[in-house]
Amino acid sequence: MAKKVAVLAVNPVNGCGLFQYLEAFFENGISYKVFAVSDTKEIKTNSGINLTVDDVIANLKGHEDEFDALVFSCGDAVPVFQQNADKPYNVDLMQVIKTFGDKGKMMIGHCAGAMMFDFTGITKG
């Protein structure tokens, strides 16, 4: 079975981190789909580059079994997460992370990724 990765990109996303993940997947023949942690597929990098990604996080909910792993690509949106935790896309983010963790799937993140994983309770033990 071919491996498939769900990539979460906050808005704004750390472009360097995101592009390194995507390049590694491309070079190794690993299928991926990028989901914006936003209510729109149009996001930016933290340096202001406009990106249109594959889908939004709301459409990943309920489809976690279609992916073998989750990658959390951090960015400048995380430092203000607390102020926006009640936004639907951030609620979806936490639910998706929790579901991947509960299913025992491989999860990778940089920067504040571990903090987000911890917020869901999946790192206990």
Side-chain angles (χ1 to χ4, degrees), residues 1-78:
M1 175 172 97
K3 300 293 183 193
K4 189 170 182 183
V5 178
V7 179
L8 306 181
V10 298
N11 186 26
V13 66
N14 177 313
C16 182
L18 174 64
F19 299 142
Q20 286 180 341
Y21 290 131
L22 301 184
E23 182 177 21
F25 298 150
F26 177 79
E27 288 177 353
N28 290 286
I30 298 170
S31 178
Y32 63 87
K33 188 171 183 178
V34 180
F35 294 88
V37 181
S38 175
D39 52 6
T40 176
K41 295 190 304 183
E42 286 73 34
I43 62 173
K44 291 184 181 227
T45 67
N46 53 6
S47 58
I49 297 171
N50 294 319
L51 299 174
T52 302
V53 299
D54 301 309
D55 211 337
V56 295
I57 187 121
N59 295 329
L60 177 54
K61 281 178 36 181
H63 297 278
E64 294 88 352
D65 286 335
E66 296 173 20
F67 298 90
D68 301 293
L70 177 80
V71 169
F72 180 81
S73 192
C74 194
D76 291 342
V78 171

Side-chain angles (χ1 to χ4, degrees), residues 90-102:
N90 281 328
V91 172
D92 291 342
L93 167 67
M94 302 311 281
Q95 291 173 345
V96 164
I97 290 172
K98 177 112 174 76
T99 300
F100 270 83
D102 289 346

